[in-house]
Amino acid sequence: MITHAKEAEKFNKDEARVDWHDDTLWFVRQKRDRMAHNIPEWEQLREKASQIKNHTLSNLDQYLIQFEKHALANGVHVHWAANAVEHNQIVFQIIQKHGFQKIVKSKSMLTEECHLNEFLISQGIEVIDTDLGERIVQLRHEPPSHIVLPAIHLKKEDVGETFHQHLGTEKGAKDPQYLTEAARQHLREKFIAADLALTGVNFAVAETGGIVVCTNEGNADMGAHLANVHIACMGIEKIIPRQADLSVFLRLLARSATGQPITTYSSHFLRPAPGKEMHIVLVDNGRTEQLARADFRNSLKCIRCAACFNTCPVYRRSGGHSYHTAVAGPIGSILAPNIDMRKYADLPFASTLCGSCSNVCPVKIDIHDQLWKWRQILAQEGHTGTAKATGMKLMSAVLSNPDIYRFAGSTGRWFLRHVPSLASNSLNPWFKQREMPEPPKESFRDWYMKNRKKPKGE
Amino acid sequence: MNSRELILKKVRQNKPDLLPLPILEAYPQGDIDLTDKFGTFLKNVGGDIYLAKDVQEARAHLTQKFQLSESIKVADYTDTNLLKQDPHSFEDVFVTIMRGQWGVAENAAIWIPEEYLPGKQRVLPFICQHLVIYLPSDALVPTMYEAYQKIGTQNFGGYGVFIAGPSKTADIEQSLVIGAHGPRSLTVYLIEKQQL
C-alpha cells in the first residue's frame, strides 16, 4: 500500500533537493505575505470570501439551477456528471460526435482527479497539456506535484533533459528562457492544429451563466479561441452567486497563490463565438457526500490557490508526489479521505497540525482542525494500523497517570543519555532524516521544584 | 434518475441551513494617485506605460518602437476586415492594437470587453507577438470592486478579459520568463484626451 511516509522517504533521499524545494516554496509563501500585507482590508476580504462561499454551499442546488438556466440561454451546452467515469464519457462523446483527434488542455485539477488524460489517450486521442509545467510532467509521464506549480519538484537540468529527448533542444541546455521558448514553439503548433480545447474553471457565476478561467501563460485562451469546440470542466463547488463576487475572489486568488497582484489573464467566457460550440460539464464525484459531513463541508470552499501547500512544513519537505492524490498538500489531505477513506487514511497524519495552512487560507477553511478530526474518524473506522493504535493506547495510559508519566520521563531520559542507540536506530521512524535531540538532564517539573520562589512560610 | 436530478437531490438533502449572502462593499484606498499606482503595478507585472495626448501620438510612438513597416502584420481595432477571418490566419500577427475600457490601479489589470477586440476576434490579444492597449487616462479605478461595478453583468458581449502584463511563466525552477504562449510584451498608452 502506498503511504505518504514511504513516498516521502524516497523524496528525502536527495537532501540538497529537499532543501531547495523547501526554500523555493517558502519564497513563494513570503511573496504571498508581502502582497497580503499591502492590502489593509486583507482580513476583511478573507472573511467576505468565506461568507460568500458558506452562503453558496447552503443554497448550492438553487445556484446550480440558476447557473444552468443562464448558460443554456447563452447557447452553452450543460452536462452533469455524477462521478469521474461519467465525466470522462461525456467528454469522449463530444469528441467522438465530431470525429476529433487532437485535444489541447489547459490546467484542470478536476480532469487530473478524474484521470481524463489516461482515458482519452487509451481511446486513441492525442491529448496535449499546454500549461508549461503540466507539459513538462506530461512528457515525463508523471502527475503534477503541486496544483499551481506542477513541476516544482524538478530542477532546470531535469527539464532540459526532458526537452532534449522530446523537443530536440540542445543536450545539456538548462536556461529557463531557452527552454520556455522551445516549449512555446512546440505548443504553438499544437494550438494551431487542435480540434478541441479543454479548460478548467476557476469560478462559475450563477447570475450570468459565465465561467472565469485564470492563467498567466494565456494557454486557456490560445486553445479555446482557436479550436472549434471548447469544453470547460468544473466541480459543482466552483459556483459563486454574483459576478461582482469575483472582485473579492480575484483580489485574493493570485496574491495567495504566487504573490502576484492578479494573474495575467482573467478570462470571462459567457457565450461561444459565432459558429463555435461551448460545453460545460458539472461534476459531483464525491462533493455532495462532503457537503453532508458537517465537520468537513467547508473544504468545498477551496479556490485552489495552494497557499496551504507553500506554507506547510510537511509538504515543503516531502514533495507533492508523496501525497499520491491529484490535489496534494494540506487541503488535499482533507479532500482525499472523503473520496476513499482506506486509500488515503495516511494523509491526515502527514501534518504537524501547526495551523499555518488555516492562517493563510484565503477563504478561511479550518484545514488543521479538519486534519485532526479526520484522524479521529480514521481511528474509529479502523484505518490507522495496529502500530499506531497500540502506540496511542500506550501513550494515553502514560499521559493519564502522573506517577507513570514521571517515571516514564526519567527512565526515557536515562536511556537516551546512556543507551542512545535505542532511539537513534533505523527501527525508530522519528530517527529517519533527523538527528535525535540531546536529552535534557532533568524534566521541567524537577527544574521548577528546585528553582521556583518558595512562598513565605514554606 | 439522471445525474442532474441525482446531484441536485443530494445537494438538497446534504446542504446546511441557509446562511446569509454578504453585501459587497468598497474599501477606501486613501488618497492615492491612480495613474501613479497603475503605472507602478504595470511595470511590476512586466508592462510598459507611456502617456500620449492622443491616438495619433501613440501610433507614431509605437510605429517607431516596433519598427513597423508594410511587411509587418498588424491587427488594428480600426480594421473592419478582421471580422470575417479565420482565427488561425492571425498566427503571424506581430502586433495587436486595441482599446481597453477600464484600468485597475491595484493590479494593473485592463478590462477588454468583446466589442473592443479587433474584429471581435478573441484570439488576437493572445496569438500576437506584442500587444498594445490604448486606455483613456480617466478610465482608471482603484480596485477590482469598482471595476466590476463599472462592468456590470450586461453588455460585455460573449467574452471579456482582464489583462495584466505580457504572457509569462515561472514553471521552470520559479525563474520568471516573459512570453509564454501569448505576447512577449505589453505596451499601454494612457491617452489624455477622451477620444477613444
Side-chain angles (χ1 to χ4, degrees):
Chain A
M1 191 155 158
I2 303 170
T3 66
H4 177 269
K6 278 190 216 158
E7 296 304 301
E9 209 172 326
K10 293 181 200 161
F11 184 78
N12 278 318
K13 280 194 178 123
D14 186 345
E15 202 174 318
R17 184 170 292 221
V18 174
D19 289 346
W20 178 83
H21 190 264
D22 182 17
D23 289 345
T24 306
L25 288 160
W26 186 248
F27 174 69
V28 180
R29 152 77 209 261
Q30 287 175 313
K31 285 203 291 182
R32 173 253 170 226
D33 287 353
R34 278 197 293 277
M35 276 293 160
H37 297 161
N38 275 326
I39 306 286
E41 61 269 26
W42 184 257
E43 289 305 317
Q44 288 156 275
L45 286 171
R46 286 179 74 210
E47 182 56 35
K48 196 72 87 180
S50 171
Q51 287 175 6
I52 296 169
K53 285 282 186 179
N54 280 334
H55 162 77
T56 310
L57 291 174
S58 77
N59 196 33
L60 188 58
D61 51 331
Q62 292 307 311
Y63 284 128
L64 283 165
I65 292 168
Q66 198 187 340
F67 174 78
E68 181 193 41
K69 185 182 123 194
H70 289 130
L72 290 171
N74 292 337
V76 176
H77 302 267
V78 179
H79 310 263
W80 300 71
N83 52 43
V85 173
E86 191 177 8
H87 163 265
N88 293 350
Q89 285 296 341
I90 289 167
V91 172
F92 184 53
Q93 275 163 15
I94 298 167
I95 295 169
Q96 259 190 329
K97 190 182 83 187
H98 292 276
F100 287 159
Q101 287 300 315
K102 294 177 173 177
I103 312 290
V104 283
K105 264 182 75 203
S106 73
K107 194 154 61 203
S108 153
M109 292 320 297
L110 177 73
T111 59
E112 290 289 338
E113 174 188 320
C114 296
H115 301 287
L116 177 71
N117 283 19
E118 293 91 317
F119 171 72
L120 291 181
I121 290 164
S122 76
Q123 301 295 322
I125 308 293
E126 180 189 271
V127 184
I128 305 290
D129 275 314
T130 58
D131 172 83
L132 176 60
E134 290 235 318
R135 184 66 183 139
I136 293 167
V137 295
Q138 188 185 32
L139 289 171
R140 297 170 62 91
H141 302 288
E142 287 175 4
S145 68
H146 186 290
I147 57 174
V148 173
L149 318 165
I152 195 66
H153 59 294
L154 298 171
K155 303 279 285 180
K156 56 191 176 196
E157 290 79 6
D158 305 322
V159 179
E161 185 53 33
T162 303
F163 280 14
H164 171 64
Q165 281 173 29
H166 297 275
L167 308 184
T169 53
E170 281 171 53
K171 176 91 185 154
K174 57 177 185 186
D175 173 37
Q177 182 91 40
Y178 167 81
L179 296 171
T180 302
E181 183 64 29
R184 177 186 171 100
Q185 301 304 335
H186 158 69
L187 288 167
R188 270 206 166 219
E189 287 171 25
K190 300 294 182 189
F191 283 125
I192 296 289
D195 303 310
L196 181 144
L198 212 142
T199 71
V201 170
N202 289 92
F203 304 98
V205 182
E207 175 183 39
T208 64
I211 56 158
V212 175
V213 182
C214 305
T215 74
N216 280 320
E217 298 181 5
N219 53 322
D221 287 275
M222 280 289 274
H225 305 323
L226 284 170
N228 283 322
V229 179
H230 171 195
I231 306 178
C233 303
M234 57 177 272
I236 52 172
E237 82 284 16
K238 296 278 176 171
I239 297 267
I240 54 171
R242 304 161 294 196
Q243 181 169 278
D245 294 327
L246 288 165
S247 68
V248 175
F249 292 107
L250 292 185
R251 294 191 76 187
L252 290 165
L253 178 61
R255 286 185 175 100
S256 298
T258 54
Q260 292 174 262
I262 190 167
T263 50
T264 305
Y265 305 108
S266 311
S267 306
H268 300 51
F269 294 87
L270 210 56
R271 286 194 292 272
K276 302 219 176 187
E277 204 174 294
M278 190 174 155
H279 297 260
I280 294 172
V281 189
L282 297 162
V283 185
D284 179 352
N285 204 35
R287 285 160 177 78
T288 49
E289 275 92 55
Q290 191 86 324
L291 192 62
R293 299 175 190 269
D295 281 345
F296 302 106
R297 72 163 58 102
N298 92 18
S299 60
L300 294 169
K301 285 153 62 180
C302 177
I303 57 172
R304 303 292 191 266
C305 72
C308 62
F309 289 48
N310 304 339
T311 200
C312 177
V314 175
Y315 176 85
R316 281 187 277 118
R317 292 177 184 83
S318 61
H321 289 159
S322 58
Y323 291 79
H324 59 98
T325 171
V327 179
I331 183 70
S333 301
I334 57 179
L335 293 174
N338 174 61
I339 292 174
D340 188 335
M341 217 182 273
R342 173 185 290 276
K343 192 172 168 196
Y344 300 115
D346 55 318
L347 294 184
F349 295 90
S351 166
T352 63
L353 302 185
C354 70
S356 186
C357 45
S358 305
N359 289 335
V360 297
C361 177
V363 292
K364 291 196 165 183
I365 301 171
D366 53 341
I367 305 173
H368 74 294
D369 284 335
Q370 292 189 36
L371 288 164
W372 177 70
K373 286 172 183 164
W374 265 124
R375 291 182 185 187
Q376 296 170 60
I377 290 178
L378 291 164
Q380 277 160 17
E381 306 269 333
H383 290 302
T384 44
T386 42
K388 197 162 263 160
T390 318
M392 283 294 165
K393 269 189 200 136
L394 199 67
M395 183 80 122
S396 117
V398 172
L399 292 179
S400 58
N401 184 319
D403 289 332
I404 301 182
Y405 173 75
R406 282 199 286 278
F407 175 74
S410 69
T411 4
R413 282 188 298 280
W414 188 89
F415 275 110
L416 283 175
R417 269 204 309 279
H418 298 96
V419 206
S421 62
L422 269 185
S424 310
N425 66 52
S426 57
L427 292 174
N428 175 12
W430 289 98
F431 180 60
K432 288 178 192 172
Q433 288 91 35
R434 279 190 199 89
E435 304 191 348
M436 295 307 284
E438 185 93 0
K441 291 199 176 62
E442 55 188 356
S443 70
F444 172 73
R445 186 176 182 278
D446 295 340
W447 178 90
Y448 181 73
M449 298 299 271
K450 222 160 50 191
N451 290 292
R452 69 173 178 154
K453 276 196 186 128
K454 302 267 192 314
K456 274 176 195 161
E458 211 175 277
Chain B
M1 195 183 296
N2 66 29
S3 291
R4 179 185 185 277
E5 284 164 36
L6 183 71
I7 293 168
L8 288 173
K9 184 179 151 221
K10 283 165 83 179
V11 171
R12 266 192 292 275
Q13 277 170 357
N14 297 345
K15 69 179 180 177
D17 293 339
L18 188 66
L19 292 160
L21 175 64
I23 296 162
L24 299 175
E25 58 197 319
Y27 299 97
Q29 298 296 302
D31 190 19
I32 52 160
D33 181 336
L34 292 177
T35 309
D36 194 50
K37 191 164 184 184
F38 178 83
T40 306
F41 271 97
L42 185 68
K43 285 177 204 155
N44 285 347
V45 297
D48 287 328
I49 186 161
Y50 300 97
L51 301 174
K53 67 176 193 300
D54 53 29
V55 168
Q56 288 70 28
E57 189 183 279
R59 178 72 199 212
H61 184 273
L62 76 93
T63 301
Q64 201 167 34
K65 180 176 178 178
F66 294 105
Q67 307 201 322
L68 299 183
S69 64
E70 285 300 312
S71 60
I72 292 175
K73 196 161 164 183
V74 175
D76 190 312
Y77 69 97
T78 56
D79 182 355
T80 49
N81 295 324
L82 298 171
L83 202 59
K84 295 260 181 261
Q85 291 183 31
D86 175 355
H88 293 85
S89 69
F90 302 124
E91 198 189 348
D92 55 350
V93 167
F94 187 66
V95 179
T96 293
I97 304 169
M98 64 189 193
R99 298 174 299 156
Q101 192 175 27
W102 304 106
V104 186
E106 68 162 327
N107 55 19
I110 299 171
W111 175 252
I112 318 284
E114 189 169 36
E115 60 172 315
Y116 279 37
L117 296 165
K120 288 195 179 182
Q121 294 284 358
R122 298 179 186 182
V123 82
L124 271 175
F126 301 94
I127 203 168
C128 57
Q129 299 294 320
H130 301 277
L131 180 60
V132 173
I133 298 177
Y134 297 158
L135 188 65
S137 57
D138 59 358
L140 298 179
V141 296
T143 76
M144 295 297 283
Y145 173 79
E146 290 80 11
Y148 277 107
Q149 297 301 310
K150 298 274 192 192
I151 292 165
T153 54
Q154 307 296 317
N155 307 323
F156 70 80
Y159 172 81
V161 59
F162 277 108
I163 298 181
S167 147
K168 60 178 80 71
T169 183
D171 274 348
I172 302 176
E173 273 201 20
Q174 279 293 290
S175 305
L176 180 68
V177 178
I178 302 285
H181 301 296
R184 299 171 190 274
S185 75
L186 170 67
T187 307
V188 176
Y189 290 96
L190 279 185
I191 310 285
E192 276 174 37
K193 285 180 187 163
Q194 179 65 44
Q195 49 154 306
L196 284 164

